[in-house]
Amino acid sequence: MGEHPSPGPAVAACAEAERIEELEPEAEEQLPAAPEDFDPGNTGYISTGKFRSLLESHSSKLDPHKREVLLALADSHADGQICYHDFISLMSNKRSNSFRQAILQGNRRLSSKALLEEKGLSLSQRLIRHVAYETLPREIDRKWYYDSYTCCPPPWFMITVTLLEVAFFLYNGVSLGQFVLQVTHPRYLKNSLVYHPQLRAQAWRYLTYIFMHAGIEHLGLNVVLQLLVGVPLEMVHGATRIGLVYVAGVVAGSLAVSVADMTAPVVGSSGGVYALVSAHLANIVMNWSGMKCQFKLLRMAVALICMSMEFGRAVWLRFHPSAYPPCPHPSFVAHLGGVAVGITLGVVVLRNYEQRLQDQSLWWIFVAMYTVFVLFAVFWNIFAYTLLDLKLPPPP
């Protein structure tokens, strides 16, 4: 039998990273030990000379963009040493803040042409490149995403949520015999998914209300924004992070209504949608010079106009004479709860592509603020309605 070829450096590094993750760290600043060939003194660092020789001997096995990142990492260390932990993290697609700072502060500019200038790309490659330029402000992040994205798993969260919303809307439309302004139907609020102030003790309603929409005009805009904004964001940041922002916006929306518009029901996924869209727009504004998406000013204006029209529709509907008095039509406050989540938690997520959120102080500040709000809203729902002697509409 022939001998098996020796594994490349990326494979070996990934295996080493997996072994490191299984060990319980003894101290926060302890570094994993590097192999003796790289680090004979067991210092946790390797010399840039050995690092370069390793790159040169295995350059054909590395993606060209990743090789550029590695070279930039080597050139950014004037002291001639590279943290072996950064090297392991890089090869296992887990970049630390110290790695990012090493790249951004490096004294070597990436030499190859920008990703946007590359020719001869397939349709799928052009799509991935387009998503990178739509969502990421740094060229080095765009190249990293372009080389690393495998579409496994696909953006399943936003697609699944959208399909469920459409399915529930069609089912309700057939049941009620009405698709436009469904919310005006006398039996609309009888659905067990709608948040209703008299039924606020049924905790699932704070989340399931997203599957009920006021009408096809309400559903249409939310679906378009979820697919055009949510799917690309999920392709870049993953289902866990985007799902977290979306669900946080949904829950914040219903809780905000229960505090600020206490007699009104809630329907629609606008809380989650506005969380994602506001986070994306805020990220573009904060990184305006770095974002290279086409017609960004025009597209931001269109997005803001669409969001304003949808918000205006919700305000108009809230104060329109109700089809089921004394209960008013659904509240518009959920939109504002979603925006608040988007410009806090959402911005931190989008600004830290492939960075550990637990290392970001702003992340913990906004998580603490969100937790305080949720606890406040829970106690408000338990005690405030009784203390204020508020007269609520009867249950549907």
Side-chain angles (χ1 to χ4, degrees):
M1 296 178 63
E3 295 183 358
H4 294 283
S6 60
V11 176
C14 288
E16 178 71 11
E18 292 175 359
R19 183 187 69 79
I20 291 169
E21 287 180 352
E22 294 174 358
L23 301 178
E24 188 70 25
E26 298 178 359
E28 183 175 320
E29 297 181 355
Q30 184 176 356
L31 294 170
E36 293 183 358
D37 291 344
F38 299 144
D39 182 20
N42 198 26
T43 62
Y45 292 84
I46 58 177
S47 70
T48 54
K50 291 180 179 179
F51 186 67
R52 283 183 168 279
S53 63
L54 180 67
L55 285 180
E56 292 173 0
S57 59
H58 296 280
S59 60
S60 61
K61 302 176 183 178
L62 295 172
D63 292 323
H65 298 146
K66 183 172 288 187
R67 186 170 62 249
E68 291 178 16
V69 174
L70 288 166
L71 288 171
L73 177 63
D75 286 342
S76 65
H77 288 75
D79 57 358
Q81 295 186 113
I82 295 175
C83 174
Y84 183 66
H85 182 65
D86 281 345
F87 172 63
I88 292 295
S89 298
L90 175 64
M91 298 310 297
S92 58
N93 287 343
K94 296 173 183 176
R95 299 186 294 164
S96 65
N97 281 331
S98 58
F99 167 77
R100 166 167 286 189
Q101 292 302 319
I103 295 299
L104 295 181
Q105 297 173 5
N107 54 16
R108 176 183 183 275
R109 187 171 297 177
L110 296 182
S111 59
S112 67
K113 58 186 177 182
L115 184 60
L116 193 61
E117 300 173 0
E118 294 194 4
K119 307 297 182 181
L121 301 181
S122 65
L123 180 61
S124 61
Q125 289 174 322
R126 290 200 298 271
L127 174 62
I128 296 172
R129 182 180 65 178
H130 174 76
V131 169
Y133 275 93
E134 288 289 312
T135 56
L136 296 171
R138 301 177 182 88
E139 183 67 16
I140 196 166
D141 285 339
R142 291 191 282 261
K143 289 185 175 183
W144 183 269
Y145 168 74
Y146 178 81
D147 282 333
S148 303
Y149 185 71
T150 61
C151 198
C152 184
W156 61 269
F157 177 79
M158 294 309 308
I159 293 175
T160 301
V161 169
T162 301
L163 291 176
L164 287 174
E165 290 171 0
V166 173
F168 277 105
F169 174 79
L170 293 177
Y171 173 79
N172 288 319
V174 173
S175 300
L176 301 175
Q178 184 173 340
F179 290 91
V180 178
L181 285 177
Q182 281 185 1
V183 71
T184 60
H185 196 283
R187 290 190 289 112
Y188 181 81
L189 292 183
K190 294 183 180 295
N191 194 294
S192 60
L193 300 179
V194 175
Y195 169 85
H196 191 282
Q198 277 283 17
L199 304 173
R200 64 188 184 279
Q202 299 176 358
W204 70 84
R205 292 177 181 264
Y206 290 90
L207 184 62
T208 58
Y209 75 92
I210 68 171
F211 299 117
M212 298 290 294
H213 283 80
I216 193 168
E217 66 288 342
H218 186 199
L219 174 73
L221 182 60
N222 281 346
V223 166
V224 169
L225 291 176
Q226 281 180 179
L227 295 179
L228 292 183
V229 178
V231 170
L233 290 178
E234 185 178 346
M235 290 175 64
V236 173
H237 298 280
T240 301
R241 292 190 175 191
I242 297 305
L244 174 65
V245 175
Y246 186 86
V247 172
V250 169
V251 174
S254 54
L255 289 177
V257 172
S258 70
V259 171
D261 197 1
M262 299 168 66
T263 62
V266 189
V267 296
S269 59
S270 297
V273 172
Y274 275 53
L276 292 180
V277 176
S278 59
H280 182 51
L281 294 181
N283 189 42
I284 292 177
V285 172
M286 295 169 68
N287 300 279
W288 187 261
S289 61
M291 297 298 292
K292 302 300 182 183
C293 48
Q294 294 181 327
F295 310 112
K296 55 186 176 183
L297 183 60
L298 174 63
R299 293 163 64 179
M300 279 195 64
V302 171
L304 290 173
I305 291 173
C306 290
M307 294 172 67
S308 300
M309 291 177 60
E310 159 58 20
F311 183 72
R313 180 208 60 80
V315 173
W316 168 82
L317 183 64
R318 169 64 178 84
F319 296 105
H320 190 270
S322 176
Y324 24 75
C327 183
H329 282 147
S331 176
F332 58 87
V333 177
H335 298 67
L336 304 179
V339 171
V341 169
I343 61 178
T344 53
L345 290 174
V347 168
V348 175
V349 169
L350 299 193
R351 280 177 58 85
N352 290 279
Y353 167 63
E354 279 200 354
Q355 308 301 306
R356 292 186 291 267
L357 293 178
Q358 59 267 31
D359 293 342
Q360 312 297 320
S361 57
L362 269 181
W363 169 254
W364 292 112
I365 292 173
F366 290 142
V367 166
M369 292 172 57
Y370 185 83
T371 303
V372 169
F373 166 72
V374 171
L375 292 176
F376 168 79
V378 169
F379 282 103
W380 181 273
N381 277 272
I382 294 175
F383 300 109
Y385 284 77
T386 303
L387 295 176
L388 295 175
D389 196 22
L390 189 67
K391 185 176 181 181
L392 295 176

